[in-house]
Amino acid sequence: IYNVDSLIQGGIAPGLADDIVRRKNGIELKRLELQDHATRDGYIGTQRYLDELDEINRADISLREELGDQRYDEFLYNSKQNNRVRIASVMLGSPAELAGLEKNDIVLSYDNKRVFEWQELKDATAQGALGEYVSLSVYRDGEIYSFSVPRGTLGVQLGATRLAP
């Protein structure tokens, strides 16, 4: 997704799109150069290589961090990518069912943090203290609903979908 044309088509200003692509390409070039250097010097796959790669990766930021949640949401939608997590099914007797979640609910946030991909939701449920109650907001039938759910397994199957920001 990191080419100027796709960013512009996603609603990003041309100057910012060019800047993002140049910085992202610079990071990727550093990764390739490290791989080449480590291969030539015989330390590919070693802890030294992993440490140097980690240092390069720390200098990289995600497009979401670059744009902020609102602009990132608009970018995903405008570039015809999925930007929402859909609950495909709710297991009987699960924390999700007990909280009131339903099939086809669209997850907007978990613990007051926006959610755009199912892996983000899955990761978020595994953070914090198990059983601690957090807020989960969903879009259902044109309305936004908030639920209190315990951290941990929700008991849902997830899918992806698009929804206008």
Side-chain angles (χ1 to χ4, degrees):
I1 64 173
Y2 296 120
N3 69 62
V4 173
D5 290 338
S6 70
L7 291 171
I8 291 171
Q9 288 173 358
I12 306 303
L16 179 57
D18 185 65
D19 182 57
I20 290 169
V21 170
R22 284 184 187 282
R23 285 185 284 121
K24 290 290 188 182
N25 286 347
I27 295 290
E28 187 57 32
L29 185 57
K30 287 180 182 180
R31 288 184 187 115
L32 292 171
E33 289 169 344
L34 171 62
Q35 185 177 31
D36 180 66
H37 184 71
T39 299
R40 290 173 189 274
D41 290 352
Y43 69 95
I44 191 87
T46 66
Q47 189 61 49
R48 174 183 169 193
Y49 172 77
L50 295 174
D51 290 344
E52 290 178 18
L53 181 60
D54 188 51
E55 185 176 333
I56 291 169
N57 289 339
R58 278 195 306 268
D60 195 8
I61 63 169
S62 72
L63 186 59
R64 180 177 178 174
E65 291 171 320
E66 181 81 27
L67 300 175
D69 283 348
Q70 184 60 36
R71 287 180 64 200
Y72 182 68
D73 189 17
E74 292 167 2
F75 164 74
L76 291 174
Y77 184 78
N78 291 334
S79 59
K80 302 193 181 351
Q81 297 181 61
N82 290 326
N83 64 339
R84 295 290 184 273
V85 175
R86 182 180 58 82
I87 296 177
S89 67
V90 177
M91 296 174 190
L92 298 178
S94 68
E97 183 193 37
L98 296 174
L101 295 171
E102 298 178 3
K103 178 181 176 179
N104 293 320
D105 281 349
I106 307 296
V107 178
L108 301 175
S109 67
Y110 179 88
D111 192 23
N112 300 312
K113 295 178 183 85
R114 299 279 302 269
V115 176
F116 298 108
E117 299 174 11
W118 66 267
Q119 188 63 50
E120 291 175 330
L121 179 58
K122 188 175 175 185
D123 291 346
T125 63
Q127 296 174 359
L130 181 63
E132 167 191 31
Y133 278 80
V134 297
S135 173
L136 184 136
S137 295
V138 301
Y139 180 80
R140 177 193 301 162
D141 299 326
E143 302 283 331
I144 296 175
Y145 296 88
S146 291
F147 299 91
S148 184
V149 296
R151 284 193 186 273
T153 302
L154 290 173
V156 295
Q157 291 184 331
L158 302 172
T161 191
R162 285 181 66 230
L163 184 67

